[in-house]
Amino acid sequence: MSKAISDSEARNQGPEIVRRTAWPQSSSRPVSTPLQMSVVYASDSPDALDAQYDGTAPGYAYAREGHPNADVLAQKIDGMEAVQGGLITGSGMAALSAVMLGLLQSGDHVVAGDQLYGRSMRILTQDAPRLGIKATLADATDAKAIEAALRPDTRMVLVEVVSNPTLRLADIDGIAALTRERGILFVVDNTFTTPRAFRPFEHGADIVLHSVTKLLAGHSDVTLGYVAAQEARLQDMIREAAATWGLTPSPFDCWLAERGLHSFNLRYDRAEENAAELADLLAGLPGVRRVIYPGRPDHPDFQRARSLLKGRSGNMVSFEIEGGREAANRLTRGAPDIAFAPTLGDIGTTLSHPASSSHRALSADMQRAIGISEGFFRISVGVEEIDGLRRDFIQAIDAAVQG
Ligand SMILES: *Cc1c(COP(=O)(O)O)cnc(C)c1O
């Protein structure tokens, strides 16, 4: 028999709902990483808080300055890059921002590869100049071109190992020798190559950054970045900049990315195997003008790819078909199961068209200079069954060519 409760009695049961319930005790531990969404952490006393801020006791205070899910993920990527103390940021662009805001001053000069990710290019050419930081872009496949761009006030050289979308390989060893000799910071964006194929610190990089959004997380459901400096002093400056400018990641994104990372090696190896097969398939199809894949002997940097990537070639394949925009439209419509989306590193295969997306801001002349035409596509190969992928691309190229 239920006893009727008056409204006021019900309201009086209120406080326990507001107060946080103690976490249930368990003498066993969870197997998967717990998700810790708390923004603030309560301490026992001002003494305890002091000890934490002084660094004599471990702990977290406020999530913008760090939280467990970010640290768990950072430690995993640290292990892959063979470094310590790396930092997770809210995006790949936040990682680059943390490096620039933490380490550069007004009046400093940066030399960067001329085929960087579009927004990285924009920071260097449009946003950093507003803060008094100047940049010169140069061909990263040629250490001599980078050397020619150096000035007395150059503080940093930034390159990507494999360029987008033409998949050229930077002269990492040549540039590392230059920056070491002149005492300039060498920053490598390792997003495309990942530590599975290339570990920049082993080649003289001072700082490595990633868009974790891409291959490392791998499922197109988080936006995150990572940055690590070899030198602890630099890493502290980057960490402080990220905490102050608010470049911090969400715990949930970090938790998802860690989950994705568990299968990273398997995904990478399978996607790479598929990419090599697809590259060879495309090269033999009528209507395909050229295929760019670092694992093929006809790649312009084949020898460098072999020595830098130690036999790995990655999951990215670019190719060019005959015909203009119309043929390109027929191609994407002819492959309805392949996501036509300007991203990379997803578990599924995606197709992008630089002329209408990542490189649309470039003039026709600049597009031509780096070899991008209306028939140019870039594939981020995923982990599907290769037979289905082969069928999809044969059908798509056929649709493009038949017209
Ligand atoms: C995507 C990407 C970035 C930017 O990363 P976000 O996570 O999208 O901010 C930087 N560099 C490269 C090479 C990228 O592919």
Side-chain angles (χ1 to χ4, degrees), residues 305-373:
R306 295 239 302 199
S307 76
L308 283 183
L309 309 183
K310 299 201 170 68
R312 314 238 40 155
S313 308
N315 78 313
M316 305 298 290
V317 180
S318 292
F319 66 97
E320 190 178 16
I321 54 163
E322 314 273 353
R325 175 61 68 91
E326 282 311 311
N329 285 337
R330 287 195 297 272
L331 188 145
T332 59
R333 290 182 187 131
D337 292 339
I338 306 287
F340 174 53
T343 186
L344 68 117
D346 185 64
I347 191 158
T349 300
T350 57
L351 188 61
S352 77
H353 182 249
S356 64
S357 57
S358 53
H359 291 67
R360 61 177 302 130
L362 296 189
S363 68
D365 275 353
M366 280 173 77
Q367 288 187 0
R368 232 186 331 271
I370 57 175
I372 297 172
S373 68

Side-chain angles (χ1 to χ4, degrees), residues 91-94 117 120 160 189 191-192 211 213-214 223-224 344:
S91 67
M93 290 317 299
Y117 181 73
S120 302
E160 293 173 13
D189 179 335
T191 300
F192 266 50
S211 169
T213 312
K214 312 290 172 51
T223 306
L224 285 178
L344 68 117

